[in-house]
Amino acid sequence: MCIFCKIVKGEIPNQTILEDEDFLAFNDINPSRKIHVLIIPKEHYDSFDVIPPKIMANMTEFIHKVASKLDIRKSGYRLITNIGNDGGQEVAHLHFHLLGGEEVGRLVR
Ligand code: 5GP
Ligand code: ZN
């Protein structure tokens, strides 16, 4: 079982920001910004590349709720998902990195 599935099962502790029946948001163990939250579906999908679009629609709504709870919708934030080897993905369970709480800087040049 993958590490994020273990987090979903409660076998590995996490600092939960928000949770519902289908999704979980928790602090990254090694934060790269003041706010660094990981948002995952509870069901295992290897990456964004294989998530059914209808589930992604629900996940979008959940991500909005996380950003609201963190009160960063006005100040802004960055949402990243790494996909596969070339995308630099380390944990093969779909997750979005939500970064904010400060200016996170330019990413794409
Ligand atoms: P990736 O490189 O796959 O996009 O990102 C994986 C992220 O998962 C990294 O930012 C890493 O710090 C985080 N991470 C890895 N293991 C754990 C863990 O056990 N708990 C938490 N909260 N984050 C983890
Ligand atoms: Zn998993």
Side-chain angles (χ1 to χ4, degrees):
M1 192 189 300
C2 94
I3 190 166
F4 287 175
C5 281
K6 285 182 181 165
I7 284 177
V8 169
K9 281 200 152 200
E11 290 174 10
I12 296 175
N14 75 90
Q15 293 179 331
T16 300
I17 303 296
L18 190 67
E19 179 173 16
D20 71 8
E21 204 180 314
D22 298 318
F23 304 102
L24 175 67
F26 55 98
N27 284 327
D28 196 290
I29 205 169
N30 185 21
S32 74
R33 297 293 192 283
K34 280 185 187 161
I35 291 173
H36 188 168
V37 171
L38 301 174
I39 304 169
I40 66 171
K42 289 186 173 178
E43 193 173 330
H44 182 99
Y45 296 97
D46 281 355
S47 79
F48 172 80
D49 195 58
V50 294
I51 192 171
K54 281 179 184 163
I55 295 178
M56 192 59 230
N58 296 335
M59 190 163 186
T60 299
E61 194 177 357
F62 183 78
I63 292 169
H64 287 163
K65 285 181 188 162
V66 174
S68 292
K69 184 155 188 193
L70 294 167
D71 197 23
I72 57 173
R73 293 186 82 164
K74 254 194 182 162
S75 52
Y77 54 95
R78 176 173 293 151
L79 197 61
I80 298 174
T81 188
N82 299 321
I83 300 156
N85 182 69
D86 284 7
Q89 183 180 7
E90 285 182 356
V91 178
H93 180 132
L94 167 63
H95 54 281
F96 283 85
H97 297 257
L98 189 157
L99 305 171
E102 60 183 323
E103 290 187 11
V104 302
R106 283 185 66 85
L107 179 67
V108 180
R109 289 174 294 277

